[in-house]
Amino acid sequence: MYRFRASFSKPATDYPRPLLRRASWTSLDGTWDFAFHHELWEHPADVEFTRAIAVPFAPETKKSGVVVDRPFNGCWYRRRFEGGQLAPDESVLVVFG
């Protein structure tokens, strides 16, 4: 059985690794779109996001808002964010984990 109650309104503001601090940094903690994997989905465009999850918490935890109480094969996350203006020689680095 799955229950849903994601409520995460205060993302982290402290840089997680102070010795590696960057001038421009944004925490991606917060509410993300979420879906359990379906075997028919082969591409992100196929996914039907019907839930939300509080990141950085795993789906198995109460704080995630998902509360999974049985095994699952996989899951999908989605969130939009603004990366800001970049110079031609700049890029955005997104790190998970």
Side-chain angles (χ1 to χ4, degrees):
M1 179 171 110
Y2 304 121
R3 294 183 296 267
F4 171 71
R5 257 185 282 191
S7 177
F8 194 82
S9 60
K10 189 176 180 186
T13 56
D14 296 334
Y15 194 81
R17 299 174 71 188
L19 295 177
L20 300 175
R21 185 178 302 270
R22 293 181 175 13
S24 178
W25 173 79
T26 301
S27 172
L28 296 178
D29 290 353
T31 303
W32 288 56
D33 298 329
F34 179 83
F36 289 104
H37 181 69
H38 189 285
E39 62 187 33
L40 298 177
W41 296 341
E42 296 180 4
H43 188 273
D46 300 334
V47 180
E48 296 175 14
F49 290 95
T50 57
R51 300 174 181 267
I53 187 167
V55 169
F57 305 107
E60 299 87 352
T61 66
K62 288 183 181 181
K63 288 189 175 186
S64 74
V66 177
V67 190
V68 179
D69 62 0
R70 65 177 178 221
F72 57 95
N73 292 327
C75 55
W76 294 79
Y77 290 73
R78 177 179 68 185
R79 177 170 175 197
R80 295 182 189 274
F81 65 94
E82 293 293 325
Q85 295 291 329
L86 299 175
D89 62 336
E90 293 181 315
S91 60
V92 174
L93 173 65
V94 179
V95 178
F96 294 93

